[in-house]
């Protein structure tokens, strides 16, 4: 693997040069960025996938929606549609993509969810809604420089932090580590719940944040229950029985580790996988003798295609290791300040 990386380094240098020039052009105003009057928070990463953007976005929804009219805008990766779509009762994963459909399914009573690869047009359309959103969350938009977000949340996964990585294709970074300077806060995700203060300090030193840039540590918290269309059962109970574990996410190992027991069938697919009819038939056959337990994101694509009473999903949440008060205060202060400023103008 190291030899292959060395062979790919020249291509990484070229790719890094292109992205660096692009960022300089945006920073200098040669390429234009649109800034909107409403608070816009962009959630994303420097690397490709697997940093926990979905639970972090859901955390922000839970934090902000009791206080503000929140809208979430995503590109809608993997959807079978184009252009701007505002989620409604006719929406599904093929229309929106699995992650936006998950946001809509869970929070449709409290927020608006839309998809558009052109984030400028997407925000422009959201601002035509009545009532107008008070705050817009941009999912997976750290590199989308055509919109100038008011606040950037940069995610990096524990054990795979961007400070130790290379630019594509030798590594997994979409742009150089210098891109971290745009972040208001950095969240190290998927940490062990008991990560020590000493290890946190060591990671902060490797990240070398800018002055005033806060670093937070979060872990994945699994629900105590697994859910199907019509019933629930405890995660402990379903863990104890033979089952089919299905995951089509970037890094499924923690999901497997949490539920796997000897005798389970494990089916792994690529991230955002669009299940074929052959694969669905195989899962239907397996579900005749074992329940299927999948991730919440995969459930959005499997629901309605395999027996609903045999299909369960395990929700996850993002939880801050040292408590969430400081993070919450940082986000709420930004939104309150930006909202107040927009009213003055």
């Amino acid at each position: 693997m190291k030899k292959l990386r060395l062979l790919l380094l020249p291509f990484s240098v070229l790719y890094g040069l292109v992205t660096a020039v692009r960022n300089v052009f945006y920073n200098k105003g040669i390429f234009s960025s649109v800034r909107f009057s409403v608070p816009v928070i962009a959630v994303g990463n420097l690397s490709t996938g697997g940093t926990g953007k979905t639970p972090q976005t859901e955390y922000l929804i839970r934090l902000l929606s009791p206080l503000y009219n929140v809208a979430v805008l995503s590109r809608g990766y993997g959807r079978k549609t184009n252009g701007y779509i505002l989620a409604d009762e006719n929406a599904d994963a093929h229309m929106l993509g699995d992650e936006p459909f998950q946001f809509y399914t869970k929070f449709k009573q409290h927020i608006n969810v839309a998809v558009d690869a052109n984030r400028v047009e997407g925000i422009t359309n959201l601002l035509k809604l009545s009532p107008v959103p008070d705050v817009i969350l941009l999912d997976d938009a750290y590199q989308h420089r055509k919109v100038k977000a008011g606040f950037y949340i940069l995610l990096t996964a524990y054990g795979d932090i961007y400070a130790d990585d290379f630019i594509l294709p030798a590594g997994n970074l979409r742009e150089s580590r210098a891109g971290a300077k745009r972040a208001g806060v950095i969240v190290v995700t998927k940490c062990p719940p008991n990560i020590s203060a000493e290890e946190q300090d060591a990671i902060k030193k490797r990240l070398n944040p800018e002055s005033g840039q806060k670093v937070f540590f979060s872990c994945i918290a699994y629900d105590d229950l697994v859910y199907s269309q019509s019933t629930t059962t405890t995660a402990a109970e379903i863990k104890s029985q033979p089952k089919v574990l299905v995951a089509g996410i970037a890094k499924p190992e923690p999901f497997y580790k949490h539920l796997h027991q000897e005798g389970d069938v494990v089916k792994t697919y690529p991230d955002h996988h669009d299940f074929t009819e052959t694969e669905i038939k195989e899962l239907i056959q397996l579900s005749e003798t074992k329940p299927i337990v999948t991730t919440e994101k995969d459930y959005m694509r499997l629901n309605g295609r395999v027996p609903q009473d045999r299909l369960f999903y395990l929700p996850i949440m993002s939880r801050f290791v040292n408590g969430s008060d400081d993070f919450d205060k940082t986000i709420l202060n930004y939104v309150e300040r930006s909202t107040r400023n927009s009213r003055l103008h």
Side-chain angles (χ1 to χ4, degrees):
M1 182 62 72
K2 289 183 178 180
K3 289 183 179 179
L4 178 59
R5 278 195 161 191
L6 288 174
L7 290 173
L8 293 174
L9 274 176
F11 299 100
S12 292
V13 171
L14 179 61
Y15 182 81
L17 179 62
V18 171
T19 57
V21 170
R22 175 180 179 269
N23 281 331
V24 168
F25 281 10
Y26 274 111
N27 294 340
K28 298 289 186 182
I30 299 171
F31 290 167
S32 61
S33 295
V34 180
R35 184 188 289 271
F36 291 88
S37 58
V38 298
V40 176
I41 301 174
V43 180
N45 47 28
L46 295 183
S47 62
T48 54
T51 56
K53 294 185 296 294
T54 301
Q56 181 61 56
T57 300
E58 290 186 354
Y59 183 93
L60 293 171
I61 293 170
R62 292 186 179 97
L63 173 67
L64 294 168
S65 60
L67 303 171
Y68 298 98
N69 180 19
V70 175
V72 177
L73 179 64
S74 175
R75 177 179 57 161
Y77 184 85
R79 64 183 173 128
K80 305 300 182 183
T81 55
N82 296 301
Y84 172 82
I85 295 177
L86 180 68
D88 60 20
E89 64 275 7
N90 298 313
D92 59 23
H94 286 98
M95 183 184 296
L96 301 178
D98 49 17
E99 290 160 342
F101 185 53
Q102 179 174 320
F103 299 147
Y104 176 72
T105 301
K106 295 176 75 170
F107 303 105
K108 59 186 173 184
Q109 302 299 325
H110 309 287
I111 68 171
N112 285 299
V113 178
V115 292
D116 198 335
N118 186 323
R119 307 296 171 86
V120 175
E121 290 188 5
I123 294 176
T124 301
N125 281 309
L126 283 172
L127 294 179
K128 295 176 183 177
L129 296 176
S130 181
V132 176
D134 297 316
V135 57
I136 295 174
L137 305 179
L138 296 184
D139 174 47
D140 195 12
Y142 199 82
Q143 281 77 36
H144 198 91
R145 301 297 305 273
K146 290 183 179 180
V147 170
K148 175 64 175 175
F151 198 89
Y152 290 89
I153 299 176
L154 176 61
L155 309 181
T156 187
Y158 172 86
D160 191 23
I161 66 172
Y162 61 80
D164 301 331
D165 208 344
F166 297 93
I167 294 177
L168 290 165
N172 297 311
L173 297 184
R174 300 172 177 177
E175 60 175 304
S176 76
R177 303 163 196 169
K181 294 178 181 180
R182 296 196 300 277
V185 299
I186 301 169
V187 182
V188 183
T189 63
K190 302 184 177 182
C191 296
N194 59 347
I195 182 173
S196 67
E198 291 76 16
E199 187 173 8
Q200 292 180 43
D201 288 340
I203 291 174
K204 287 180 183 178
K205 186 175 293 186
R206 284 153 62 196
L207 292 174
N208 191 26
E210 298 291 299
S211 175
Q213 203 174 45
K214 296 182 178 181
V215 179
F216 297 93
F217 295 82
S218 71
C219 61
I220 293 297
Y222 289 96
D223 202 309
D224 292 330
L225 301 175
V226 292
Y227 301 80
S228 74
Q229 184 84 347
S230 57
T231 188
T232 62
T233 186
T234 66
E237 181 180 343
I238 206 148
K239 181 176 180 177
S240 68
Q241 59 184 282
K243 57 194 167 296
V244 183
L245 295 175
V246 176
I249 57 176
K251 296 177 181 177
E253 292 80 15
F255 169 73
Y256 294 147
K257 183 178 180 181
H258 188 72
L259 289 176
H260 185 263
Q261 291 277 63
E262 188 176 350
D264 290 347
V265 176
V266 176
K267 305 294 292 184
T268 304
Y269 303 91
D271 195 15
H272 299 283
H273 183 62
D274 188 10
F275 293 91
T276 66
E277 288 304 317
T278 300
E279 289 164 344
I280 292 297
K281 287 178 181 178
E282 181 186 16
L283 291 176
I284 290 174
Q285 284 185 323
L286 289 169
S287 70
E288 292 177 357
T289 56
K290 299 180 179 69
I292 297 171
V293 187
T294 190
T295 69
E296 193 169 7
K297 189 157 57 172
D298 291 307
Y299 180 82
M300 299 299 152
R301 283 175 275 121
L302 288 171
N303 190 28
R305 302 186 69 190
V306 298
Q308 294 182 347
D309 62 334
R310 305 291 292 167
L311 178 65
F312 294 83
Y313 67 90
L314 175 69
I316 61 173
M317 294 177 65
S318 178
R319 187 179 70 210
F320 286 92
V321 173
N322 303 314
S324 61
D325 288 352
D326 193 14
F327 178 87
D328 293 357
K329 184 178 179 180
T330 300
I331 300 302
L332 292 171
N333 283 348
Y334 159 70
V335 175
E336 182 181 354
R337 184 175 64 252
S338 300
T339 302
R340 185 168 59 246
N341 291 340
S342 67
R343 289 170 181 163
L344 291 174
H345 292 89

